[in-house]
Amino acid sequence: NNRDKLKHIPAIKPTKGIVLSGFGMRLNPILGYRTPHEGLDFRANIGNKIFATGDGTVKYADLKGTYGRLVVIDHEYGYESYYAHLSSYAKGIKPGKKVKRGDLIGFSGQSGRVEGPHLHYEVHQNDKPVDPLKYIFADTTPEEYMMYKDIVENNHKSMD
């Protein structure tokens, strides 16, 4: 049971770019004041590959307000992951599609309310947003993790 659960927990980086902004109150570049930022922003150019961070089922793949093009994956065990501001979806990505950790699910972009192209990534546990940085452990070295931690602690502006 634990082995199955570990496959479903969102535990890898969703894209190759580095973290630009973190979870918590951040200066919103569009609104011009601090707002809750419920995820991580990753550096990504338009068209960079975006990957499922854990096994699960696509729950949502469509436009959604300020998120723009969004994919939501239900990982079971109370976990969901959000991938926002996409330029397009990978072939076959639609609600009900089963995905494995590392599967291509879409391509980064700048849809929705954003300052520029990037990937906004969220992890929800039991319907509440949680800090995704705490879940990026399967493909991150301790040095990378400390670098990301330093970036999110010192950059108080989000990309969306």
Side-chain angles (χ1 to χ4, degrees), residues 20-34:
L20 297 172
S21 182
F23 183 86
M25 294 300 286
R26 296 283 184 264
L27 176 64
N28 184 295
I30 308 302
L31 301 175
Y33 54 85
R34 290 169 54 87

Side-chain angles (χ1 to χ4, degrees), residues 139-158:
D139 67 344
T140 305
T141 66
E143 294 79 17
E144 283 177 304
Y145 180 83
M146 293 308 294
M147 177 182 70
Y148 293 159
K149 192 168 179 339
D150 184 57
I151 290 168
V152 302
E153 288 174 356
N154 291 299
N155 181 11
H156 303 288
K157 179 182 170 190
S158 69

Side-chain angles (χ1 to χ4, degrees), residues 92-160:
I93 295 299
K94 60 185 179 186
K97 170 80 172 168
K98 300 276 189 204
V99 293
K100 298 277 188 198
R101 180 179 288 142
D103 283 355
L104 179 67
I105 59 168
F107 301 91
S108 59
Q110 59 181 6
S111 61
R113 188 179 69 199
V114 297
E115 183 176 46
H118 71 285
L119 173 70
H120 175 82
Y121 173 68
E122 297 181 12
V123 173
H124 291 217
Q125 185 178 21
N126 299 321
D127 298 319
K128 292 187 173 143
V130 294
D131 187 351
L133 191 58
K134 294 178 180 177
Y135 291 89
I136 297 175
F137 55 81
D139 67 344
T140 305
T141 66
E143 294 79 17
E144 283 177 304
Y145 180 83
M146 293 308 294
M147 177 182 70
Y148 293 159
K149 192 168 179 339
D150 184 57
I151 290 168
V152 302
E153 288 174 356
N154 291 299
N155 181 11
H156 303 288
K157 179 182 170 190
S158 69
M159 294 285 295
D160 46 49

